[in-house]
Every structure is written in structure tokens, then in C-alpha cells.
Amino acid sequence: MNRILLIETATDVCSAAIAEGDRIISSGHISEPRSQASGLAPMIQDVLSRAGMHAGELSAVAVSAGPGSYTGLRVGVSTAKGICFGAGIPLIGIGTLTVIAQGVIRTGACTAGEDCAIIPMIDARRMEVYTAVYDSYGHQATDTSAVVLEPDTFASELQKYGKLIFAGDGAAKYRDMIPEKHIGRCVFVPSHPQAEDMAEAAFSAWQEKRFEDTAYFEPFYLKEFIAADPSRKMEAVLHPGK
């Protein structure tokens, strides 16, 4: 039976798990924000140890591919690549919004065939989120996009589906915007993507041999990362009115 290491680092928290087929046999989580760089490698070693195996026995590594935190994605993908190169195994990329949508399905909040849409949201600061629409089977129905939330952002989905499930760490931003007549059909599931929820998609990719080019694979940032200019930050501190 193939065993796949699952790595999730796209938001402030991170997790790792070992899946045997689509069944989780070992997992670990770190809830401390921005702990990916220091905590990911020891956590991976721990989940491997508790599964009674080492990296050379893995069949593949699956990593959350974004969108999400620039730093978190870099750490996760770099770690996944290093393990793949060292063990000579393939790399699988799983979209982070897909991971969140699968988490909703795992909790039973939306069941296959139900008249509902799953709308995962990753906080992109201020009133912006990374989002897409998924059906009740966890299939992505719209392109991933960066959206500045407004009351009518999901007006068409509110008309089309009997129930909408907003999930992820950006979901709460939309709660107070929904027109009162629709609020009873909306469910909010504040959450973070979890490595365990990558298992089904990773196993499917393994079976279909949908592997990434390990050397050239890059996370899906969606928006270009712009580092703050330290001189401008200091200017803002010294002259806040300018």
C-alpha cells in the first residue's frame, strides 16, 4: 500500500500527516502562528516515527500549493521538494481551497448530492479573501480569485443553491454582509486547512499519476508578494501624518 506524506503550511498554522491510501495513520499539528519554519521539520519526523517508517519508505509527498501565506507556502513547498529529491519520490500539489472544501465535507456539513455550495475563504488582509466555489462533491466550480468582499459578492450563488457553507479563516468577514433574507441558508465554518483533508485528493492524484515537476514547481501565490520598504515603514512611524 502506498503511503503519502501530507504537508499543509498555507496559513498561520501548519500540519502534517501520513496517509495510507486515503486513510490517515499519523498526524500532527502546530497551532502557534508563523511556526512553519521552526516547527515543520520536527513535526514531519514525529509523524513518520509514529507511523513506524522513514522518508525512504514514502511513495510520494503532497503539499498544499496555495493560495495562502507567502512565507508559509515557501516553507512547505521547499520542505516537500527536499524530501522528494532525497527519497527519489514524486511531488503532488493540492490547491489550498480544495483542502478547506474537503474539510467541510469530512465534517458532514455538506453531503454529496446535497443542494449546497462550499465557499472556502483564505484571509488576504483587510476585506480581501482568496476564494472559489465548490459543489457538494468537492469539485471546484469557479476559478480561484482574490476578491474584495461586498454584500453582493456571492449573489448568484445565493440564488442558485439552497445552502451555502463559508469556510476558512476569511469566512467571518462575510457574515455581517449577507442580506437578512438569505442568512438562514448560510453556514459559517471558521477553520484552517488541515493536512488530513488532503488525503483523498492526494490519493486520487497518485492513482492518476498527476505529479508535479519537482525541480520547477512553485506555489500558487495568486498575487505577487511585495516586501515592505523598511525606510517607508520608519517614515510612517516618525511622521504618521504624512
Side-chain angles (χ1 to χ4, degrees), residues 117-185:
I118 303 168
I119 304 179
M121 296 180 176
I122 297 173
D123 187 0
R125 304 295 181 258
R126 298 185 178 86
M127 292 309 296
E128 189 172 29
V129 296
Y130 302 131
T131 189
V133 178
Y134 288 73
D135 65 19
S136 62
Y137 295 93
H139 300 146
Q140 189 168 342
T142 65
D143 292 337
T144 299
S145 59
V147 173
V148 176
L149 293 172
E150 298 178 351
D152 63 349
T153 298
F154 298 104
S156 62
E157 284 75 24
L158 286 165
Q159 294 295 329
K160 181 178 179 180
Y161 296 95
K163 181 171 72 173
L164 273 68
I165 301 174
F166 298 93
D169 64 0
K173 293 181 177 183
Y174 195 56
R175 184 190 297 271
D176 294 333
M177 294 186 182
I178 296 175
E180 187 174 351
K181 64 180 180 180
H182 294 305
I183 194 67
R185 298 187 292 110

Side-chain angles (χ1 to χ4, degrees), residues 37-214:
S38 61
L40 181 59
M43 180 170 57
I44 290 173
Q45 184 58 49
D46 180 60
V47 297
L48 284 168
S49 176
R50 285 190 283 114
M53 60 185 300
H54 54 79
E57 297 174 293
L58 291 167
S59 300
V61 178
V63 64
S64 183
S69 158
Y70 180 89
T71 301
L73 290 171
R74 294 295 294 178
V75 170
V77 169
S78 296
T79 301
K81 284 185 172 187
I83 295 171
C84 288
F85 277 125
I89 54 178
L91 175 68
I92 297 168
I94 307 294
T96 307
L97 295 175
T98 296
V99 180
I100 298 173
Q102 288 296 326
V104 170
I105 292 172
R106 180 172 62 87
T107 65
C110 182
T111 58
E114 186 179 356
D115 181 23
C116 73
I118 303 168
I119 304 179
M121 296 180 176
I122 297 173
D123 187 0
R125 304 295 181 258
R126 298 185 178 86
M127 292 309 296
E128 189 172 29
V129 296
Y130 302 131
T131 189
V133 178
Y134 288 73
D135 65 19
S136 62
Y137 295 93
H139 300 146
Q140 189 168 342
T142 65
D143 292 337
T144 299
S145 59
V147 173
V148 176
L149 293 172
E150 298 178 351
D152 63 349
T153 298
F154 298 104
S156 62
E157 284 75 24
L158 286 165
Q159 294 295 329
K160 181 178 179 180
Y161 296 95
K163 181 171 72 173
L164 273 68
I165 301 174
F166 298 93
D169 64 0
K173 293 181 177 183
Y174 195 56
R175 184 190 297 271
D176 294 333
M177 294 186 182
I178 296 175
E180 187 174 351
K181 64 180 180 180
H182 294 305
I183 194 67
R185 298 187 292 110
C186 297
V187 177
F188 288 84
V189 185
S191 61
H192 292 279
Q194 300 287 345
E196 294 99 316
D197 295 323
M198 300 170 63
E200 184 175 336
F203 184 50
S204 176
W206 165 260
Q207 289 181 309
E208 297 171 11
K209 300 189 183 303
R210 288 185 280 109
F211 303 135
E212 306 293 344
D213 184 323
T214 304

Side-chain angles (χ1 to χ4, degrees), residues 13-24:
V13 298
C14 64
S15 55
I18 304 293
E20 187 173 81
D22 59 359
R23 181 176 65 91
I24 299 299

